[in-house]
Amino acid sequence: MSDINYLKAADLEAAAASLKSASEGAYLAGGMTLLPAIKLGLNQPSDLVDLGGIGALHTITVDGETLVIGAMVNHYQVANSDDVNGRIPALADLAEGIGDPQVRNRGTIGGSIANNDPAADYPAACLGLGATIITNQREIAADDFFTGLLETALEDGEIITAVSFPVPEKAGYAKLQNPASRFALVGVFVSSGAGGVRVAVTGAGASGVFRASDAEAALSGDFSASAIAGASVAEGGMLSDIHAAADYRAHLVGVMAARAVEACG
Amino acid sequence: MSEISMTVNGRAVTASAASDVLLADFLRQNLDLTGTHVGCDTSQCGACVVQMDGASVKSCTILAAQAEGADIVTIEGLATNGDMHPMQKAFHDNHALQCGFCTPGMLISAIDLVSKNPDPTEAEVRKGLEGNLCRCTGYHNIVKAVLAAAQDMRG
């Protein structure tokens, strides 16, 4: 690559200090997006500050009706965690469907949501479950966190430490995946719980993950696949690219939403 | 340049390399372990898969510095005193390779798969090898080999 300094941070304070002193520093989590982006010249940091050595970021804990997943927990660990499978099995299923086994062994929940790829799976889970993103500075509601294409509410130097998920009564995720990349062509996460019904859509929106308010209203009255049969969303604001046109994505939102409701069991 | 140390195939190694060198390049260029192949170099093909602390990973998408202190196993570390690993033997017996370029990564991924799921179905083997591409389209015999090796390894 091109003379990038590498530092492994021992704790959050050291990581933040290292990034601050770098001219163009970047935090390195699992590296499954950042390292390929650097190799392609799309990202050219002067320093990489590795968060992998910070033990506190690697834990999954249950606190009452809340599941807290450390930012550096990888997809394999989420998919195979008894705590996750016991409380939010839809989240474990989502993690099991990310990328391929080798990506799941390295990629992390914190890295995924910090990157906020418009076709990534985890943003849909965070928004669809009403999660709270915990950083080294504050707590941010998922509704306020994902601000646009590859953009988040994170300030320069801010580090995600964990994601806190309220345990829903039911939740489900369905995606039509791109067969080559296994990113979501359209993915829909639905949940019903103390915070009401939430429907979050990834892979479809030109501005990234979003909530489908019409589907939420329909499911609030009748939480069944038939309640949203034939539903779709407006084509305006849909992504359109070589993989799928806007009208196809808009149609798929309704199909995947119904499948996600059915996946709730 | 920085000193990078790890255990590779049971041997403690230290080499001087740029701080941003990839693990695949470190293995091939610093340690002359050229059995780990670089196919696509974009995290797609899986030819570069090695075992890191027990898990299969794509060594073209990890910095060698991230593997500081780790326990790495490459294709060169699978055989024991000249006896092939059961997975290698099953690939041999089932003609599970044509050109052989993808084979090192296939073997490491397959061993990870069977260690986590000792009695996989054919569908589970196919899903478990999603991160490895064979351009000779030899998947059928690869899947047969992994199923045979799993049976052999269960004893």
Side-chain angles (χ1 to χ4, degrees):
Chain A
M1 294 194 282
S2 53
D3 296 332
I4 302 170
N5 296 311
Y6 170 88
L7 301 135
K8 190 162 193 170
D11 55 40
L12 289 169
E13 292 73 24
S18 295
L19 197 89
K20 202 170 182 182
S21 62
S23 59
E24 287 286 338
Y27 292 123
L28 178 62
M32 293 297 97
T33 297
L34 180 55
L35 293 174
I38 291 171
K39 290 203 286 183
L40 289 169
L42 300 173
N43 197 323
Q44 295 178 306
S46 62
D47 297 70
L48 286 172
V49 180
D50 187 355
L51 305 176
I54 306 175
L57 305 185
H58 290 266
T59 57
I60 298 176
T61 55
V62 176
D63 179 11
E65 286 303 294
T66 303
L67 179 69
V68 182
I69 301 180
M72 288 297 294
V73 174
N74 68 41
H75 310 326
Y76 174 80
Q77 292 167 324
V78 171
N80 291 280
S81 156
D82 289 342
D83 285 333
V84 179
N85 279 285
R87 266 109 182 147
I88 316 181
L91 192 57
D93 291 346
L94 176 146
E96 180 67 24
I98 297 173
D100 58 49
Q102 288 70 43
V103 167
R104 293 194 288 276
N105 283 339
R106 293 294 296 172
T108 65
I109 184 169
S112 171
I113 62 175
N115 187 52
N116 192 18
D117 187 290
D121 297 285
Y122 269 124
C126 293
L127 201 57
L129 286 163
T132 301
I133 318 303
I134 304 167
T135 79
N136 59 337
Q137 299 173 18
R138 57 187 169 142
E139 298 191 354
I140 309 169
D143 284 324
D144 301 323
F145 182 82
F146 302 103
T147 55
L149 209 63
L150 302 168
E151 289 182 359
T152 69
L154 291 171
E155 302 285 348
D156 284 350
E158 192 170 7
I159 303 170
I160 299 171
T161 59
V163 185
S164 171
F165 295 95
V167 176
E169 286 161 24
K170 32 183 146 174
Y173 181 61
K175 73 168 167 176
L176 186 73
Q177 65 181 18
N178 180 316
S181 70
R182 287 173 286 279
F183 270 102
L185 199 62
V186 170
V188 179
F189 199 102
V190 301
S191 76
S192 175
V197 171
R198 298 176 73 97
V199 179
V201 181
T202 189
S207 302
V209 67
F210 67 92
R211 288 174 68 181
S213 48
D214 288 353
E216 289 182 353
L219 290 171
S220 295
D222 174 12
F223 195 84
S224 70
S226 58
I228 49 171
S232 71
V233 293
E235 288 174 38
M238 290 289 106
L239 281 169
S240 191
D241 55 26
I242 58 165
H243 305 297
D247 60 341
Y248 182 49
R249 278 193 164 91
H251 171 72
L252 279 178
V253 171
V255 175
M256 291 301 127
R259 287 188 191 173
V261 171
E262 283 169 356
C264 292
Chain B
M1 302 291 274
S2 53
E3 294 286 308
I4 300 173
S5 301
M6 62 188 76
T7 301
V8 179
N9 301 330
R11 191 166 60 93
V13 297
T14 299
S16 182
S19 62
D20 59 358
V21 72
L22 296 166
L23 179 58
D25 294 333
F26 183 81
L27 293 169
R28 290 177 55 83
Q29 292 169 17
N30 293 78
L31 305 182
D32 287 333
L33 294 172
T34 52
T36 295
H37 295 165
V38 177
C40 67
D41 203 22
T42 58
S43 335
Q44 308 291 322
C45 80
C48 69
V49 170
V50 302
Q51 206 180 80
M52 176 167 163
D53 293 331
S56 58
V57 298
K58 290 182 175 173
S59 65
C60 81
T61 313
I62 294 179
L63 302 178
Q66 287 178 281
E68 171 76 33
D71 187 9
I72 303 291
V73 178
T74 70
I75 183 71
E76 290 91 344
L78 290 186
T80 308
N81 299 326
D83 290 332
M84 284 192 283
H85 185 283
M87 191 64 74
Q88 287 174 302
K89 186 168 185 313
F91 270 57
H92 179 260
D93 292 346
N94 288 279
H95 189 58
L97 56 134
Q98 291 183 42
C99 84
F101 194 86
C102 73
T103 310
M106 283 285 180
L107 286 164
I108 302 280
S109 292
I111 289 167
D112 189 14
L113 189 166
V114 172
S115 77
K116 288 168 177 162
N117 182 1
D119 191 8
T121 63
E122 180 184 333
E124 287 168 342
V125 171
R126 289 185 184 276
K127 181 165 168 51
L129 293 177
E130 278 184 341
N132 295 79
L133 301 181
C134 167
R135 296 309 302 270
C136 305
T137 67
Y139 295 106
H140 191 67
N141 283 355
I142 290 170
V143 173
K144 265 172 64 182
V146 176
L147 290 168
Q151 189 173 26
D152 186 25
M153 289 160 74
R154 288 196 302 277

